[in-house]
Amino acid sequence: MEYTVAFRGAYLLIGAYLLGSISWGLIIGRLRRGIDLRQLGSGGTGATNVLRTMGPRFAAVVLVADMAKGVTAVALARLLADDIPMLVALASILVIVGHIWPVFSRFRGGRGIATAVGALVMISLPTAIMATVLFLPAVAITRYVSLGSLLAVITAMIMVPVLSAAGDVPWEYAVFSTVGGSMILWRHRENVKRLLNGTERRMSFRREQPSGNK
């Protein structure tokens, strides 16, 4: 029985990482435009860089697809191991790891926000709603996607442990918000520097002309 649980957990976690490693931005960029997103804009493969390099239509597709990775990882984890909350939390973390460091794309991916939000919707819907409520006006007012992302991540890192302490969600889910949030904050470290220096690029719905990374 223990071996069965161990194998089930191992397959689940490996599957979550591989699912996260599917870089939809990279795939769509190559199929539709013949470009490598890692060589353009910020070098990321997420929806924000797709917006800059390919426009809002493609960015919306990538945003939904990346969120779906997080939703799917948690849904499968609950289906296979709902009685083991730590496995659900670890699967949620590993799908983000896969998005940020994808094995299929030489470990160069996005910043993990959309995939994390997808997982968060399944982990704690109230937290996902609150994070979105803070994200949208922050981006709308400042046009800094990174600032909205940072606010959303910090919100999740605070709210999930609070809900866990209140008994609303398993304590293991606080591991997801803390570890996953820390990875995303680290991935945004250059954005933080640019925000502090006043050199961070603002969001634009105009497609940029290819000019190389950064």
Side-chain angles (χ1 to χ4, degrees), residues 30-155:
R30 284 176 169 169
L31 291 178
R32 302 298 298 179
R33 300 284 186 184
I35 61 176
D36 186 340
L37 284 175
R38 295 169 298 179
Q39 305 302 321
L40 301 171
S42 66
T45 61
T48 301
N49 201 34
V50 173
L51 177 63
R52 292 192 185 107
T53 56
M54 299 176 63
R57 181 163 56 108
F58 292 109
V61 172
V62 172
L63 176 65
V64 172
D66 284 346
M67 288 181 64
K69 294 192 297 186
V71 171
T72 302
V74 180
L76 288 175
R78 285 185 168 170
L79 179 65
L80 298 174
D82 193 35
D83 55 330
I84 311 176
M86 181 56 78
L87 278 178
V88 178
L90 291 176
S92 304
I93 292 170
L94 282 171
V95 74
I96 299 173
V97 172
H99 181 82
I100 297 175
W101 297 287
V103 67
F104 304 130
S105 308
R106 298 181 181 179
F107 304 102
R108 291 180 60 188
R111 285 172 171 76
I113 287 293
T115 300
V117 170
L120 187 61
V121 166
M122 301 294 288
I123 291 291
S124 174
L125 182 58
T127 302
I129 292 173
M130 180 59 69
T132 303
V133 165
L134 292 175
F135 172 84
L136 292 176
V139 174
I141 293 170
T142 67
R143 290 194 293 122
Y144 288 133
V145 175
S146 57
L147 178 60
S149 299
L150 292 169
L151 289 174
V153 170
I154 292 171
T155 298

